[in-house]
Amino acid sequence: MRRKVIAGNWKMHKDLSESQNLISKLTNALNKEETKCDVIICPPFTSLSEAAALVKNTKVKLGAQNMYFEDKGAFTGEISAAMLKSVGCEYVILGHSERRTIFGESDSTVNKKIKKALSSGLRPIFCIGESLVEREKGITNEVVKRQVTEGLQQVSKGEMEKIIIAYEPIWAIGTGVNATPQQAQEVHVFVRNLIGEIFGSDTAEKQIIQYGGSVKPDNAADLLSQTDIDGALVGGACLDADSFMSIIKSV
Ligand code: PGA
């Protein structure tokens, strides 16, 4: 049995004091619960250092939302993997559709980031997913296959075990329209088989594949009950401790 992983992607929300507030509420609530899943939060860069102090010795693990693939240098505004490690991050979201569409990240950029994260000891949460037009054209599998194969170029079997995949159909992100459990399950099976073809069936069997896109307290249980959905990457609903807790409790 794969242990489910619930991750919260805060995106560009919460200043420092709001972050402290949310994390305190969350860790207090989690202290009182027997959780059946792993919990990761990904606050903005400016809150990471403080967040690391607040989640220390709690059930919550820390991730960032992005990083650059170079070690250091003249890359104004960028953050390196080593910097994330130095403030206590264990995870980093890479290839999120907002990075791809708004900031022009290609599969090959995402691949460079994944390799750098892995060699630096960070665990990537590798996001993939099709747009509405692609789904309507019937090319979802084709798109996801390209993202997976190009994003995972030169990643070893051992490294693959450090990666969490997040299937996030773009049309479901922030729209309130989640993929149905069946739609998500279908793509998850496709992705798991693909991982099997590339890395072997033992790796595929262990692979954590999260679903993301309008996961809310009222749809989480249905989505998470699917055999191949191993957790959720939650945006909007993770910004409130009660709603994030209710998703965590639905595992
Ligand atoms: P959403 O975002 O839950 O607000 O749809 C999910 C994500 O972008 O990771």
Side-chain angles (χ1 to χ4, degrees):
M1 261 295 272
R2 295 178 293 270
R3 187 171 163 86
K4 295 198 197 288
V5 183
I6 306 294
N9 173 10
W10 294 19
K11 309 194 181 183
M12 198 171 76
H13 293 286
K14 309 282 180 193
D15 65 15
L16 184 57
S17 70
E18 291 165 338
S19 300
Q20 289 165 325
N21 198 322
L22 176 54
I23 296 168
S24 304
K25 281 190 186 156
L26 187 65
T27 51
N28 283 337
L30 278 167
N31 255 339
K32 299 184 196 118
E33 294 292 329
E34 253 257 43
T35 39
K36 297 196 194 73
C37 60
D38 290 339
V39 178
I40 304 169
I41 55 166
C42 304
F45 291 131
T46 44
S47 296
L48 286 175
S49 185
E50 189 62 30
L54 289 170
V55 302
K56 203 167 178 196
N57 302 320
T58 73
K59 293 170 192 160
V60 179
K61 294 173 176 159
L62 189 64
Q65 299 172 21
N66 183 33
M67 51 159 258
Y68 195 49
F69 53 77
E70 293 288 356
D71 286 325
K72 58 172 75 157
F75 305 105
T76 302
E78 293 297 320
I79 301 278
S80 73
M83 291 171 188
L84 295 181
K85 283 286 285 182
S86 77
V87 294
C89 287
E90 245 182 279
Y91 293 86
V92 60
I93 298 173
L94 294 174
H96 190 280
S97 69
E98 286 149 18
R99 299 297 320 170
R100 294 177 189 261
T101 58
I102 306 172
F103 301 100
E105 288 189 14
S106 64
D107 290 316
S108 104
T109 308
V110 176
N111 175 246
K112 287 185 187 142
K113 292 185 174 192
I114 288 178
K115 285 188 293 185
K116 178 52 74 179
L118 289 165
S119 67
S120 309
L122 285 167
R123 300 187 58 175
I125 300 176
F126 169 36
C127 303
I128 55 171
E130 82 288 2
S131 68
L132 185 59
V133 173
E134 289 162 340
R135 175 158 284 261
E136 284 171 347
K137 276 196 199 152
I139 57 169
T140 296
N141 288 356
E142 205 176 298
V143 170
V144 162
K145 181 172 184 177
R146 189 205 71 227
Q147 292 171 332
V148 169
T149 48
E150 296 191 13
L152 297 177
Q153 285 290 319
Q154 295 162 339
V155 167
S156 71
K157 187 178 163 78
E159 287 174 325
M160 193 59 215
E161 297 185 1
K162 302 277 180 213
I163 299 180
I164 292 176
I165 295 176
Y167 168 60
E168 299 203 303
I170 298 172
W171 48 272
I173 296 178
T175 58
V177 183
N178 59 288
T180 65
Q182 293 70 26
Q183 281 174 323
Q185 167 68 13
E186 267 176 33
V187 181
H188 282 229
V189 169
F190 177 77
V191 171
R192 193 177 306 287
N193 289 338
L194 195 56
I195 295 300
E197 283 166 29
I198 307 171
F199 298 98
S201 56
D202 52 331
T203 303
E205 197 43 49
K206 285 184 264 182
Q207 182 64 51
I208 299 297
I209 308 176
Q210 296 176 317
Y211 166 78
S214 298
V215 176
K216 305 286 176 209
D218 62 358
N219 60 24
D222 273 355
L223 286 158
L224 293 167
S225 66
Q226 299 296 308
T227 345
D228 289 278
I229 301 186
D230 309 311
L233 181 55
V234 183
C238 80
L239 297 173
D240 173 78
D242 292 336
S243 73
F244 195 46
M245 272 310 292
S246 125
I247 292 170
I248 291 166
K249 285 195 273 184
S250 69
V251 173

